[in-house]
Amino acid sequence: MRKGKPFDMNKKPNKPRWYLKIVEFLVAPFYLLFSNAHVKVDREVKKLKGPYLILSTHASFIDFPQIVVGLMPKTTGWVMSIEEFRRSRFLMGGIGGMPKRKFTHDIVTTKHIMYYIKKLKHTCTIYPEARFEFAGINERLDGALGKLCKVLGVPIVMCMTNGNFLNSPQWCKHPYRNIRQEAHMYQLCSKEEVLSLSADQIQARIEKAFEKDEYKWQVEKGYHIKCKDRAKNIHKILYKCPVCGEEFKMDSKGIHLWCNACGSKWEMDTLSRLNGVNTDKGFSHVPDWYRWERAEVEKEVANGTYHFEDEVRIEEYYNTIVNFVEVGNGKVVHDENGFTITGTVDGKPFEINKPVSSMYSCHVEYDFLGKGDAFDIATSDNSYFMFLKTAPNYLTKMHFATEALYDYYVRNK
């Protein structure tokens, strides 16, 4: 049952409230202390006086307190997914939060960012990957970031994080792996460079700065993970067997990953490398396995065989008071026409089509809020979370396919 008005995306953001600044400054250092998390801030960043734009990689919640500590006694506003406001509009808005519907071409959030930096003269932080990392490597960025930076005309600060993903990967947030977590904040572009470089040049510099490999970093640093559940749920992203080629037959528990179709099994060592137990095939480096799966999906898209459909339970994020409301059921079809969802919502016929050109990627959540695997389809006015009813462990492939379809039918054309 809906109570109150729908979430207002157009409400102007405000600077962090002074009393919430105090809370942040008191809580964030302790959060880092007890999480073995650290932050290094270059002198150039400390010297910046005016507002600037912070771009950060995104792997876990610890990203936020690392930036808070790095900026103290200064503060920043935050661009955050609209569903984060379920915690409290007073709280999230009070710390300078600006809502965003993921992977939509709305200009509301862009206007908020411009207002925040140009009118309020305050620093703003964006997580441009718009999702947590899935395999410890960088995910796709919006191609218009360079243009946004040109319009803002302020310095760009980069925050690169390492260890955050390994400590709490998206596919298994708990238990924590207890590995050192590091953040490095540095100036990516000075104001003079932002004004003199082209939007494409700035975009290229940003994309280069976001390149990362958590698993390679771990091996180079020699940071061992002794957690007995370090491989738990890794089949959520490693869903295809490189030995027999079967999809969605993979499973994992403890320190092992295996295929239920052919019986091939791998063990994850304390440096997060996968070693074959009864096979010499496969990938020892998790990102290599992940990239191989992506390439396999790209082949399906190119030869016209990619197609997915399933029944879904539909929930809508309405507002902070009621949060998510179950509104109906439907059927999703994902193919060269994009996402097509048909069904019944609020007792009425319901249909949404998100063409391939409208989504360069998609937002997926593994066991979202303990309710099951879900993907997010947003319009300019609504955010719908579609919970798959029967498809086992499909989200990672859906993520690959959305990007592959966009590349094949839009970007490469």
Side-chain angles (χ1 to χ4, degrees):
M1 180 179 179
R2 295 177 174 86
K3 294 181 181 179
K5 298 180 180 179
F7 188 92
D8 183 7
M9 288 286 292
N10 294 298
K11 183 179 180 180
K12 287 187 175 181
N14 51 258
K15 292 182 181 180
R17 306 298 188 190
W18 66 268
Y19 44 88
L20 291 177
K21 287 184 189 178
I22 296 175
V23 175
E24 283 186 335
F25 293 165
L26 290 175
V27 173
F30 283 99
Y31 205 101
L32 265 59
L33 177 64
F34 291 107
S35 301
N36 193 17
H38 310 265
V39 57
K40 174 186 175 182
V41 184
D42 283 6
R43 185 173 298 179
E44 285 182 326
V45 176
K46 293 179 179 179
K47 288 182 177 179
L48 292 175
K49 295 182 179 180
Y52 46 89
L53 180 68
I54 301 174
L55 304 178
S56 178
T57 56
H58 199 21
S60 74
F61 176 79
I62 198 69
D63 304 341
F64 295 95
Q66 282 177 318
I67 291 178
V68 170
V69 172
L71 291 181
M72 289 171 57
K74 300 176 183 177
T75 57
T76 179
W78 314 85
V79 174
M80 55 183 68
S81 182
I82 184 174
E83 69 268 14
E84 294 299 327
F85 283 80
R86 72 184 185 276
R87 307 175 192 278
S88 166
R89 177 129 205 185
F90 169 79
L91 175 61
M92 307 313 282
I95 62 173
M98 288 161 266
K100 176 75 174 78
R101 296 189 193 275
K102 293 186 176 182
F103 304 114
T104 59
H105 295 301
D106 69 82
I107 62 171
V108 176
T109 307
T110 302
K111 289 181 177 179
H112 288 336
I113 296 169
M114 293 175 63
Y115 172 79
Y116 207 80
I117 289 180
K118 289 182 172 290
K119 297 295 184 181
L120 298 183
K121 306 293 183 183
H122 204 272
T123 294
C124 178
T125 296
I126 302 177
Y127 295 92
E129 290 167 298
R131 80 217 90 167
F132 287 131
E133 301 159 9
F134 295 149
I137 56 176
N138 48 294
E139 297 291 348
R140 182 166 299 191
L141 301 177
D142 191 305
L145 272 174
K147 295 178 182 178
L148 173 63
C149 292
K150 287 291 291 183
V151 171
L152 294 174
V154 295
I156 306 171
V157 170
M158 177 69 193
C159 180
M160 170 58 72
T161 62
N162 289 110
N164 301 15
F165 165 82
L166 294 168
N167 184 67
S168 181
Q170 173 70 353
W171 33 267
C172 186
K173 305 297 289 183
H174 300 284
Y176 293 134
R177 273 63 169 173
N178 297 322
I179 187 174
R180 179 182 172 90
Q181 301 166 78
E182 302 173 354
H184 180 202
M185 298 180 68
Y186 62 93
Q187 184 171 259
L188 183 63
C189 291
S190 66
K191 182 174 182 179
E192 291 72 26
E193 288 177 316
V194 170
L195 297 176
S196 63
L197 295 174
S198 69
D200 288 342
Q201 288 174 317
I202 296 173
Q203 181 77 27
R205 187 177 292 193
I206 291 172
E207 293 193 5
K208 181 66 176 177
F210 269 82
E211 292 178 0
K212 67 181 301 190
D213 186 331
E214 292 271 286
Y215 290 95
K216 180 180 178 182
W217 172 86
Q218 181 188 1
V219 172
E220 290 176 346
K221 291 286 187 176
Y223 294 153
H224 292 266
I225 294 177
K226 297 181 180 180
C227 174
K228 295 181 180 180
D229 287 317
R230 54 184 175 268
K232 179 183 177 182
N233 281 346
I234 199 171
H235 70 282
K236 292 287 186 180
I237 61 166
L238 306 184
Y239 62 87
K240 185 168 184 172
C241 178
V243 178
C244 68
E246 285 290 320
E247 294 183 332
F248 317 120
K249 300 295 184 181
M250 302 295 294
D251 205 348
S252 57
K253 184 179 181 181
I255 62 173
H256 292 108
L257 169 71
W258 65 91
C259 174
N260 286 317
C262 68
S264 297
K265 188 174 185 179
W266 296 264
E267 180 178 303
M268 178 176 280
D269 64 22
T270 57
L271 288 174
S272 299
R273 296 171 298 197
L274 293 169
N275 305 302
V277 175
N278 57 3
T279 178
D280 58 358
K281 296 181 179 180
F283 304 87
S284 63
H285 191 55
V286 172
D288 288 345
W289 195 321
Y290 184 76
R291 292 188 182 104
W292 169 73
E293 291 175 329
R294 181 189 291 276
E296 291 292 289
V297 177
E298 289 170 351
K299 291 177 184 177
E300 290 185 41
V301 169
N303 62 32
T305 59
Y306 175 76
H307 182 88
F308 169 72
E309 57 184 73
D310 191 23
E311 300 298 314
V312 292
R313 186 183 81 256
I314 306 173
E315 293 193 12
E316 176 189 359
Y317 177 76
Y318 188 66
N319 60 24
T320 302
I321 299 174
V322 298
N323 288 327
F324 291 92
V325 179
E326 186 170 339
V327 293
N329 294 280
K331 177 182 179 180
V332 58
V333 175
H334 191 211
D335 55 20
E336 69 274 9
N337 298 309
F339 284 97
T340 302
I341 298 98
T342 56
T344 303
V345 166
D346 293 330
K348 300 177 182 178
F350 173 85
E351 181 172 355
I352 288 181
N353 176 252
K354 296 284 286 187
V356 168
S357 60
S358 70
M359 293 178 66
Y360 69 89
S361 190
C362 67
H363 175 212
V364 303
E365 292 278 358
Y366 305 104
D367 196 21
F368 184 53
L369 302 178
K371 299 179 180 181
D373 288 350
F375 64 98
D376 174 10
I377 293 293
T379 67
S380 58
D381 300 315
N382 302 90
S383 287
Y384 295 104
F385 281 75
M386 311 287 177
F387 291 83
L388 300 177
K389 287 189 175 182
T390 63
N393 193 30
Y394 197 83
L395 295 185
T396 303
K397 185 172 183 179
M398 178 184 288
H399 160 70
F400 289 149
T402 305
E403 296 183 351
L405 288 164
Y406 183 86
D407 287 348
Y408 188 78
Y409 290 103
V410 181
R411 177 174 291 181
N412 297 340
K413 296 295 175 89

